[in-house]
Each structure stands twice: as structure tokens, then as C-alpha cells.
Amino acid sequence: MFNPANEISSINFGSIIGGALNAVVNAQKESAETTVSFVKRVGFMPGRIDPKTGKEVGVGEPVNVSFAYDKEVSPAHISTSKEYQVEVTDGGSGYTDASAIKITIGGADVSAAVTLDGDKIESVTLNANLPDDTKDDAEVKAESTVGSGASLKLKVIEAGRTVPAMYQKMKIDVPILTMMPIPFIRIDYTDIEFNVKINSVANTSSSDNSNTSVKSDTTAGYKGWGFNASTTLNASFSNQKASSSSEEVKKDYSLNIKVHAVQDDMPAGMSRILDILEENISMKAISGPAAKTETPAEPKKPDPGK
């Protein structure tokens, strides 16, 4: 006979639910082993081989990504320079010795070469450039004990050129573990739903039919000297009995497991390793500064009015 208590007690809940939990624990274990393998194989060179066991021991040097780039050490800029020339507007007269002529600009003696045309000053060439703070309206004089009347004028020519930027070839080594996410998968929660549905159907039927009949015939008569008598008895009996019984038990099981996994926070030890690797990022120069060629600027023409 169907007994619900026996049916429920026959289910091995420990194997069903415990098996699901063991699967979750094993999944977390495999995830941790995958993370360890990822860090060792991707982030570090292979460790040394133990000659006795032939197995790898520890890890080697960190794997670095190296690349070169141009670092600007001096930006491009426009350099402006001034060039001074002495223009002879009037050569004067009476000059006989060019070497005896002293040229002064703004009251200061300057080194210059004087060329004469007869007794006149033909040209004055400065032997050295003047300081940048020299005014373009500074007075120019030709002083000599012999000769006079020369009129000189200072002419300023400004020239500008583009100074190209200076670059230095640099190389940087970056540990590869600091450039990519490290998988730390953690199972956040697990929902286990186990449902059991038991249906029981029992049918019982019984029938009993009985039938009994009796028939009796009696005949009596007188014939001749004697007496004649006869008796007939008919009897019938039937009994029919039918019974049926059926019992049906249906069991339905359903097991639903929901697992939610998330990217876990980085462990403190791994975070410290990454900090050390970041501190070891090295950057060094592999060549001296070099300028990129650029088209120079056009010189600035002197103002005719000066």
C-alpha cells in the first residue's frame, strides 16, 4: 500500500544537494587554479628546473613589454637674430689713412674695417656683431685726425628662423601583468531548488452474484390393481464473484541550480606584487637628441625708412 513517508524517505537528498554543492566548490577551485596558472605563465618567465625531480620550481623574471618612442626634449620655436650693418650716406673728405679712422656706435668703440675711395669713406664693415640691446637709432661716427664730414647710419637686419623640435629616442619596459586584467572569478551565490512530486492512484472493485433455483414435479395415480406414483426433482445453483485492485505511484523530480559568478576584488598579495612591478617600470634613453628638419623662416627685410 502506498506510504508517502516511505516514498519521501527513500530519496537521497544528501547525494542530490551535496553533489550540486560539491560541483560549485570544485568550480571555484578550478577558477582559482586557472588564475594561478595565468599569472605564472603570462606574467613570469619559467622558473628553474630542479635537477633531482625535473620539475619547475618557482617563477622566473617578470615578462616585460618593451617599446620605443620619441620624447620631445626641446619644443620647436622661432629664433630671431639681428644683424647690424653700417651704411655710408656721405663719405666726407680728407681721409688718407683708413686704419686711423675710429668707428663709434652709440659712443662706444667698435671693431670695423674702413675702405676708402680716394679721400672719401666708401664702406664700413663691422668685424663683430653688436649686442642685441643696441638701438637701431644709435649714432654712428667716424673719428679721425685727418678727414671729416662723413655721415654714417646704422642699419638693422632682422632674421628669423624656425628652430626644429629636439627629440630623444626612449625605451620603456612595462611588466605585462600591469597592462591586462587578471581573472579573479568568485561565485557570489548559488540557488539550489529540488522539487519532488508524487502522485498515487489506487482502484479497488468487487462483485458477488449468486443464483439458486429448485423445481420439483410429483405425479400420483391409480392404475389397475396397483398403485403408480412418480416424483421428479430439478435443482440448479450458480455463484459468480469478481474482484479487481490497482495501485499506481508516479514520481517527478526536478533539480534547478542557479550560479552567479562575479569578478572578485584583487587579493592583497597580488595587489602588492603589481605595485612592486609598477615601481620597476624603467625608461631609458637609447639615443641622443635629434632635430627634425623643418623649412626655415624667411628673413625679415630691413625697413627702408631706417
Side-chain angles (χ1 to χ4, degrees), residues 7 47 72 88 160 179 189 215 227 233 238 265 272:
E7 294 293 337
E72 186 180 63
V88 179
M179 300 175 60
Y189 63 83
K215 182 179 180 182
F227 180 78
L233 178 62
S238 64
D265 295 335
R272 178 57 181 158

Side-chain angles (χ1 to χ4, degrees), residues 85-107:
Q85 296 179 359
V86 175
E87 181 181 0
V88 179
T89 58
D90 187 352
S93 62
Y95 297 99
T96 58
D97 186 3
S99 61
I101 301 174
K102 182 175 65 173
I103 304 297
T104 61
I105 299 178

Side-chain angles (χ1 to χ4, degrees), residues 66-201:
S66 301
F67 58 92
Y69 67 98
D70 292 331
K71 179 181 179 182
E72 186 180 63
V73 295
S74 176
H77 61 280
I78 303 297
S79 176
T80 303
S81 62
K82 293 182 179 181
E83 181 180 351
Y84 296 93
Q85 296 179 359
V86 175
E87 181 181 0
V88 179
T89 58
D90 187 352
S93 62
Y95 297 99
T96 58
D97 186 3
S99 61
I101 301 174
K102 182 175 65 173
I103 304 297
T104 61
I105 299 178
D109 294 343
V110 297
S111 176
V114 179
T115 303
L116 297 179
D117 182 12
D119 63 346
K120 298 179 182 295
I121 296 177
E122 180 182 14
S123 65
V124 177
T125 303
L126 297 175
N127 293 330
N129 200 19
L130 301 178
D132 290 339
D133 58 351
T134 303
K135 304 294 184 180
D136 56 359
D137 58 352
E139 183 181 12
V140 182
K141 292 182 179 181
E143 298 178 353
S144 176
T145 57
V146 179
S148 63
S151 177
L152 307 178
K153 180 181 180 182
L154 184 63
K155 182 170 66 174
V156 180
I157 299 176
E158 291 186 0
R161 66 183 184 91
T162 301
V163 178
M166 303 295 290
Y167 293 89
Q168 189 173 27
K169 184 70 71 174
M170 305 293 293
K171 180 184 177 183
I172 185 170
D173 296 327
V174 181
I176 193 171
L177 282 181
T178 63
M179 300 175 60
M180 61 178 58
I182 300 176
F184 287 100
I185 305 302
R186 174 177 59 87
I187 296 179
D188 190 19
Y189 63 83
T190 302
D191 291 338
I192 300 177
E193 297 179 357
F194 180 62
N195 298 319
V196 180
K197 182 180 180 182
I198 301 176
N199 295 327
S200 177
V201 178

